Amino acid sequence: MKHSGLLLIVTFIALLFSACNIEKESDYKMIKENFGEIDGKEVVLITLKNTNGNTVKITNYGATVVWIEVPDRLGNIENVTFGYETLDGYLNGDPYFGSIVGRYANRIAKGKFEIDGVEYNLAINNGVNTLHGGPGGWHSVVWDYEVIDKKGDIPVLKFTYNSPDMEEGYPGNMIAEVEYIWNDKNELHINYNCSTDKKTVLNITNHAYFNLKGAGNGDILDHEMQIMASKFTPVDQDLIPTGDNIVVEGTPFDFREPHKVGERIEEEYEQLILGKGYDHNFVLDNDKEVDAIVYEETSGRLMEMMTDQPGVQFYCGNFLDGTQTGHGSRAYNYRGGLCLETQHYPDSPNQANFPSWSLANPLSPVRFIGSL
Ligand code: BGC
């Protein structure tokens, strides 16, 4: 099978994209341009160009990935992730296209949790629940940035955000760092590193939407998906986990062998109706090198995802309706893109049986390496 590929490694999440034989360009390049201004802070767009000549564009608004271009099997380049041409797009109803999501990715039931008997109340933004850190989450702040360019190494684009104690209701001052590395194998590595001064919770992810035919080029129902997960966490009508783990075998959630996304998405299965399609946390087996593979036959593009996180939210754009338009004025339609949001399970702070995602050790900074 001839394909082209992309690898996403998240805190490691790595996205590896592969394709045809690639002529090497000259040097790795990094270009910075102005992308706007918010509250007196400059928003920039940084282009990373690897020696294959393939570019990734990232802005410090939400530490957001705006553009990832990779070749198809014939060498034709397309951008495969959703993004806007201007900052305005990100300020007007953006459904987290490519952004960093924090402090707590996914839902926290009723926006409440307890630590050591103290109840914390978060900003609510999804019915009665909190989604993706709240309305003022990390997707919507301007991050500081620096380029770490050690001789002989691929440069690291590093973003830092100082999140104050009780921001959106979360305890603890937190320093969040996100590093992006776009290397010559068309691998995008995303590393996270957070420290805090109080017991608190954390679940950080990247919310990129992918369409390997090209962003805005039809739906993703024909994409072949493989997820190395033997279980998933079922949800209620508000997409809050019930606390159970269900074995995927015999359900439309069994992607241990490749299946087209659309093959079973309309099956009468309560969990699919609740998520309006796939919008669920898959419990990763975490015993293989690669945790998910996406392949699109017409282009030959293939993406591999690797993570050290215990779960991944496989969301296939069920809430998109074409009102968001991005690069080249293309509309991002219903099920036009899919997300692989590597994460701890949703609502973990309220779910005793889920892997814990609390950061303890008050006053001694805790290093977030992805799998505490
Ligand atoms: C959630 C969806 C939600 C989307 C928001 C996903 O992570 O699982 O339910 O609609 O984010 O854009």
Side-chain angles (χ1 to χ4, degrees), residues 95-96 106-107 131-132 207 209 239 279 313 315 319 341:
Y96 309 92
N106 218 300
R107 293 174 173 81
L131 176 66
H132 294 331
H207 205 297
Y209 291 65
L239 305 187
D279 189 359
Q313 185 83 7
Y315 169 58
F319 295 106
E341 301 154 55

Side-chain angles (χ1 to χ4, degrees), residues 281-313:
N281 172 61
F282 284 67
V283 175
L284 291 170
D285 296 337
N286 280 143
D287 61 354
K288 318 232 168 19
E289 202 192 325
V290 173
D291 294 293
I293 301 173
V294 191
Y295 175 62
E296 197 284 306
E297 206 177 346
T298 58
S299 64
R301 291 193 183 96
L302 177 129
M303 178 174 90
E304 292 176 329
M305 186 278 286
M306 297 166 180
T307 184
D308 60 4
Q309 296 294 284
V312 63
Q313 185 83 7

Side-chain angles (χ1 to χ4, degrees), residues 160-326:
T160 306
Y161 177 62
N162 291 321
S163 173
D165 187 24
M166 298 311 288
E167 186 181 42
E168 298 293 276
Y170 296 93
N173 293 296
M174 193 177 278
I175 302 172
E177 295 172 349
V178 178
E179 290 177 351
Y180 288 102
I181 302 161
W182 175 236
N183 71 19
D184 296 335
K185 294 189 237 157
N186 284 359
E187 295 175 356
L188 182 64
H189 291 246
I190 311 174
N191 300 320
Y192 305 103
N193 188 355
C194 298
S195 53
T196 187
D197 56 4
K198 264 194 201 154
K199 263 194 194 177
T200 189
V201 296
L202 175 70
N203 194 17
I204 182 167
T205 194
N206 178 285
H207 205 297
Y209 291 65
F210 297 99
N211 184 323
L212 299 184
K213 286 180 288 197
N217 189 5
D219 63 43
I220 43 76
L221 298 177
D222 54 358
H223 284 44
E224 236 170 57
M225 175 64 110
Q226 194 173 3
I227 309 177
M228 315 317 173
S230 306
K231 292 180 179 167
F232 76 102
T233 52
V235 289
D236 67 14
Q237 66 285 350
D238 293 326
L239 305 187
I240 298 293
T242 60
D244 295 332
N245 284 339
I246 292 189
V247 170
V248 293
E249 192 166 353
T251 77
F253 290 81
D254 192 350
F255 282 99
R256 290 171 301 169
E257 294 298 323
H259 285 273
K260 292 233 161 108
V261 174
E263 187 185 321
R264 300 165 297 175
I265 199 168
E266 302 298 349
E267 272 183 23
E268 294 235 344
Y269 187 86
E270 189 194 5
Q271 281 299 318
L272 281 175
I273 296 161
L274 292 174
K276 298 198 189 309
Y278 298 107
D279 189 359
H280 296 79
N281 172 61
F282 284 67
V283 175
L284 291 170
D285 296 337
N286 280 143
D287 61 354
K288 318 232 168 19
E289 202 192 325
V290 173
D291 294 293
I293 301 173
V294 191
Y295 175 62
E296 197 284 306
E297 206 177 346
T298 58
S299 64
R301 291 193 183 96
L302 177 129
M303 178 174 90
E304 292 176 329
M305 186 278 286
M306 297 166 180
T307 184
D308 60 4
Q309 296 294 284
V312 63
Q313 185 83 7
F314 170 36
Y315 169 58
C316 56
N318 308 305
F319 295 106
L320 296 173
D321 59 8
T323 49
Q324 301 294 319
T325 49

